[in-house]
Structures are given as C-alpha cells and as structure tokens.
C-alpha cells in the first residue's frame, strides 16, 4: 500500500480506481466462503478478509468503487434471497463488530487516512462541487457532441484524445466516438452477452451453486464499474467474468 495520487491509497503504481475494483471483485467470493464454512475459525478469517478489503476500498477514495460496493451489496442480497437462502443476523453482527474494530484500530494509528476519502465521497451527491466530476461530465458532453455530428464513422481508434485531450470516462460513449455506431454495437455486445447469461443464471436460481452466484455478482459489478472508466484496458478485470462463463457451462 502506498500513498500517492493526491493523498489517496493505491498500490502497484495504478490509479486508485483499479486496485479498488480488484479488491471489490474478491469480496463476493470471500463472502460466499464465509457463509458456506462450517468451522467458526474459517468463517472468522474470511470475515476479517472482507472487512480489510472493504476498508481498503474506502481508503482509496474511489467514488465509483464506493457506488460499486453499494450496488454490489444490494445485488448479492437479492441473488442470495433468490436462491432461497436466509440472512444470518448473527453473521451480520459479527461482520459489523469486526469492521468497526478495524476502523478504530486504523484511526488510532493515523486519523488522516480518513480525511481524503470523506472529502471526496462528500461530492458524490453534489458533483458540481468536484472539479474531477465536472471534467468527466464535460468530456461525456463533448463526446456526445461528436457523436451527434458523425454517428456512423467515428473519429478513429484512439483518436479521441486529439479532440478531448483526456479520455472520456465511459467505454461505450468512447467506443462510439472513436469507432462509430457499428463499432459501439460490437463492443457493447460483450456486455450484452454477459448480462444475458447472468440473467439466465438468475432465472435458474444459479443452479443452486453459491460460487456461480458470486461470479455473477462479480460480473455485474465489473460491468457497472466499467461505465465509470476511460476504457476496458485493464483486461485482468475481465477474468472473473470469464470464470463465470466457465462455471455456467459446467
């Protein structure tokens, strides 16, 4: 873990949004392992893992990742109930206790860790107060303007930076700007196929497979998270979705 990017936590020299999304993709699988485990020590360890993962995501000050975590938690709950499972209140109490304890331990070490994340998260409901949010909205608006003038052909692969200077933070809009309507349709097909398979798994109650359910959750948050990224250049974020396809075919 290193401090960079204006005081935000990250690692591997990556922008904080990427490691935050990697950690979030691990979380549903850890949660399934914690729920399935019959041994208390294993359940406790996986719960600690989840608490550490979510706190680290929070400390990256990634606003999109916070939204992904909230959406992912809701999706997991809906899917879990769809499978006919019951929510374990005692496990929730255990998780809350561990998460609260971990937050307190970190604050004893350094309270400044929380300043940057809280400052950035406060702008989610008021994007006009954040220069970063304003810039992204302006880029999308500029991209839509280019689409309006030339929707079929596009500006050419990776040419949008010549016009917008900074990449548009939405892969579908970006693909349409650069590759035209048909390029956008082809690229969006990747998301559509994943969504249709996830929908079929949902209708079949995930074939009573907790791991498949977790992979579908990961796929859903991956696709949702992609909508806030400049593009899908981080190919390792697609690995859990490919694992979902493999698990589904099995």
């Amino acid at each position: 873990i290193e401090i960079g990017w204006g005081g935000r936590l990250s690692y591997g020299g990556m922008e904080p949004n990427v490691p935050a999304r990697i950690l979030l993709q691990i979380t549903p699988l850890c949660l399934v392992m914690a729920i399935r485990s019959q041994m208390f020590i294993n359940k406790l360890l996986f719960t600690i893992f989840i608490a550490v993962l979510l706190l680290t995501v929070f400390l990256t000050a990634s606003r999109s990742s916070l939204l992904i975590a909230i959406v992912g938690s809701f999706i997991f709950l809906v899917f879990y109930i769809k499978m006919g499972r019951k929510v374990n209140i005692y496990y929730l109490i255990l998780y809350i206790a561990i998460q609260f304890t971990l937050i307190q331990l970190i604050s004893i070490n350094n309270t400044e860790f929380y300043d940057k994340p809280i400052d950035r998260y406060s702008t989610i409901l008021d994007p006009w107060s954040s220069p970063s949010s304003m810039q992204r909205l302006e880029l999308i608006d500029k991209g839509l303007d280019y689409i309006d003038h030339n929707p079929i052909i596009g500006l050419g692969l990776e040419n949008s930076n010549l016009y917008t200077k900074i990449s548009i933070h939405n892969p579908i809009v970006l693909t349409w700007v650069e590759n035209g309507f048909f390029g956008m349709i082809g690229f969006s097909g990747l998301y559509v196929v994943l969504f249709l398979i996830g929908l079929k798994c949902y209708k079949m109650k995930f074939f009573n497979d907790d791991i498949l359910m977790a992979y579908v959750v990961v796929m859903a948050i991956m696709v949702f998270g992609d909508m806030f990224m400049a593009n899908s250049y981080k190919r390792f974020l697609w690995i859990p979705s490919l694992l979902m396809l493999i698990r589904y075919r099995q």
Side-chain angles (χ1 to χ4, degrees):
I1 300 293
E2 57 194 12
I3 297 179
W5 295 80
R8 298 168 63 189
L9 292 188
S10 182
Y11 65 84
M14 295 182 288
E15 58 172 308
N17 295 326
V18 177
R21 288 184 63 195
I22 295 173
L23 298 179
L24 284 175
Q25 290 187 340
I26 302 170
T27 307
L29 296 167
C30 285
L31 182 54
V32 165
M33 297 304 295
I35 293 172
R36 290 178 60 175
S37 178
Q38 299 298 318
M39 297 179 61
F40 178 76
I41 185 64
N42 290 342
K43 193 180 291 291
L44 179 63
L45 285 174
F46 277 111
T47 306
I48 293 173
F49 294 160
I50 293 168
V52 172
L53 289 169
L54 292 180
L55 180 57
T56 308
V57 169
F58 178 85
L59 292 176
T60 62
S62 172
R63 290 169 296 189
S64 60
S65 295
L66 180 64
L67 292 174
I68 293 168
I70 295 171
V71 171
S73 299
F74 176 75
I75 291 174
F76 189 98
L77 179 62
V78 171
F79 287 1
Y80 193 70
I81 294 174
K82 177 68 174 181
M83 293 183 68
R85 306 289 199 269
K86 294 182 179 180
V87 178
N88 189 328
I89 300 298
Y90 297 106
Y91 177 75
L92 287 177
I93 294 173
L94 174 65
Y95 161 72
I96 292 171
I98 292 174
Q99 189 75 78
F100 179 78
T101 302
L102 188 61
I103 291 171
Q104 292 300 314
L105 287 174
I106 297 296
S107 64
I108 291 173
N109 180 51
N110 191 342
T111 56
E112 294 180 2
F113 276 135
Y114 296 110
D115 294 342
K116 187 68 175 183
I118 292 174
D119 182 54
R120 282 180 59 85
Y121 294 139
S122 65
T123 66
I124 291 179
L125 298 178
D126 185 19
W128 311 112
S129 64
S130 169
S132 175
S133 298
M134 286 295 298
Q135 182 187 60
R136 295 187 183 192
L137 292 172
E138 289 173 2
L139 287 170
I140 291 177
D141 185 62
K142 188 178 292 186
L144 294 174
D145 186 56
Y146 283 121
I147 291 171
D148 185 54
H149 285 87
N150 196 3
I152 304 300
I153 303 300
L155 300 175
L157 182 62
E158 297 186 355
N159 280 350
S160 63
N161 282 350
L162 300 175
Y163 298 84
T164 60
K165 307 304 179 184
I166 301 174
S167 293
I168 299 169
H169 279 62
N170 182 284
I172 294 177
V173 175
L174 179 64
T175 305
W176 197 344
V177 169
E178 293 186 344
N179 304 295
F181 177 75
F182 295 105
M184 181 273 294
I185 292 297
F187 178 75
S188 300
L190 296 171
Y191 297 118
V192 172
V193 168
L194 291 173
F195 174 77
L196 291 177
I197 292 177
L199 183 62
K200 183 175 181 180
C201 291
Y202 176 80
K203 290 181 177 179
M204 299 300 295
K205 297 184 178 180
F206 305 97
F207 304 95
N208 201 35
D209 183 356
D210 292 341
I211 299 296
L212 176 60
M213 184 270 289
Y215 277 135
V216 175
V217 174
V218 174
M219 178 276 296
I221 63 176
M222 190 283 292
V223 172
F224 179 72
D226 253 21
M227 298 303 106
F228 300 96
M229 301 292 284
N231 51 50
S232 292
Y233 62 96
K234 301 297 183 184
R235 293 183 177 88
F236 46 78
L237 292 172
W238 287 80
I239 291 176
S241 295
L242 298 177
L243 294 175
M244 180 204 75
L245 296 177
I246 293 170
R247 189 84 176 184
Y248 164 73
R249 289 186 65 84
Q250 289 177 341

